[in-house]
Amino acid sequence: MVYRVAAGGGKAEVLFRTADQHIRCLLLAADGTLWAGSDGAGVVYRFATGTAGAKPFAAYAAGRREITALAMDAAGDVYAAGVGTKGHSALPQLPVTGAWG
């Protein structure tokens, strides 16, 4: 789940949800596009923050379990660092509460 928190503070809003266990990293492009890397399916999502009712778009599904970092070059190309083998994880699953506070 990704939250948007207003610059002045206040109540956070859910910007978007995915079926992935965690969103591990975020990258905000100059045009307002938000890129997110996930844990579980190793997906890179693209989200148009300036478009009302926008939904996350799966831009790339990596051959790795987890996207740990995102970077963008001057041309706007996005680079993703992926780790882990897809399938069973040796680590216990963390509880997901969805609480913000």
Side-chain angles (χ1 to χ4, degrees):
M1 197 174 317
V2 174
Y3 299 92
R4 179 188 340 236
V5 181
K11 186 175 176 167
E13 66 174 300
V14 174
L15 186 61
F16 70 85
R17 300 172 197 267
T18 70
D20 293 290
Q21 187 174 4
H22 304 287
I23 296 296
R24 300 282 296 157
C25 56
L26 297 171
L27 170 69
L28 184 62
D31 67 358
T33 301
L34 183 66
W35 296 83
S38 75
D39 174 21
V43 175
V44 175
Y45 292 96
R46 182 176 66 214
F47 184 81
T49 61
T51 304
K55 303 282 185 216
F57 173 77
Y60 177 68
R64 298 295 183 171
R65 177 179 174 78
E66 183 177 341
I67 302 297
T68 58
L70 295 169
M72 182 177 286
D73 66 17
D77 296 322
V78 174
Y79 299 84
V83 299
T85 303
K86 286 192 175 181
H88 177 71
S89 174
L91 298 174
Q93 188 170 9
L94 295 174
V96 179
T97 64
W100 176 262

